[in-house]
Amino acid sequence: MNSTFEKGLKLILADNTSGSRQLVLKLNELFKSYYLNSEEIKNVIPEIRKKFSQFSSIENYLNLLEMHLAENSKLSKDFFDNFEINSNNLYKQIYEKASVYFSNLNTVITLSNSETILNILKLLKDDNPRLKVIVCESRPQCEGKLLAQQLVESHIEVEIGRASWRERV
């Protein structure tokens, strides 16, 4: 196995703070970089399945990947590019359907670390420049802080919710 590919895969398999969508996107990016090594990718699918058996989005992604391999025998870069495009479209579709419920809100509360929530909040910020997000830390590894950092990088006002804050509510 290519040592760079193996290192990248080990990092993803050891990731305990990313949400399922983030993990899928990381896998897609890694596989896209090594799409010419179809056999190598095919061989690691069982290990990924075992490690992330509780994540339906990863299972769905691996099923798509296997179907593509069965139909084409080799991977194409287009498969990975199309997956990224479809992921971005999914966020827009979710936002369009859900925005009627929160588009008039100036403050939103969330927790943990989620690629989907991050992208929905970015779209909300585009429609509401006054948006403020309260992110609860989320134990045990305070993944909420990771989401908060990404929101700040996207120029969204953030407050970290702490135990003392929750006691005031």
Side-chain angles (χ1 to χ4, degrees), residues 14-149:
D15 188 338
N16 293 323
T17 57
S18 294
S20 60
R21 198 75 189 150
Q22 288 170 310
L23 291 168
V24 168
L25 294 172
K26 287 177 182 184
L27 283 169
N28 192 68
E29 190 63 32
L30 177 68
F31 292 165
K32 181 177 167 181
S33 299
Y34 294 94
Y35 76 94
L36 294 175
N37 299 325
S38 297
E39 269 313 301
E40 210 168 318
I41 292 171
K42 194 175 183 180
N43 290 336
V44 299
I45 290 175
E47 181 181 3
I48 296 166
R49 242 195 197 104
K50 184 178 177 184
K51 170 68 178 172
F52 297 118
S53 60
Q54 71 278 18
F55 293 116
S56 61
S57 59
I58 293 175
E59 184 67 30
N60 292 338
Y61 174 76
L62 295 175
N63 288 340
L64 285 172
L65 186 60
E66 286 179 323
M67 286 184 347
H68 180 79
L69 280 165
E71 293 170 4
N72 300 289
S73 75
K74 292 206 178 235
L75 292 170
S76 69
K77 190 171 179 282
D78 289 343
F79 171 85
F80 303 104
D81 290 337
N82 288 334
F83 185 83
E84 286 177 30
I85 291 166
N86 290 335
S87 290
N88 289 330
N89 289 338
L90 175 65
Y91 302 135
K92 290 175 187 170
Q93 290 170 359
I94 292 170
Y95 179 76
E96 287 170 10
K97 289 180 181 180
S99 66
V100 296
Y101 300 104
F102 55 75
S103 61
N104 61 337
L105 300 175
N106 291 326
T107 305
V108 176
I109 187 168
T110 188
L111 62 104
S112 200
N113 185 24
S114 165
E115 186 76 15
T116 303
I117 296 296
L118 172 65
N119 283 288
I120 300 302
L121 291 172
K122 285 179 179 180
L123 292 169
L124 181 57
K125 174 68 173 178
D126 291 343
D127 287 347
N128 183 352
R130 297 183 319 236
L131 178 66
K132 176 182 176 181
V133 178
I134 300 170
V135 181
C136 295
E137 290 177 332
S138 176
R139 302 287 179 186
Q141 297 182 343
C142 299
E143 294 92 349
K145 288 182 180 179
L146 297 172
L147 177 63
Q149 181 180 358

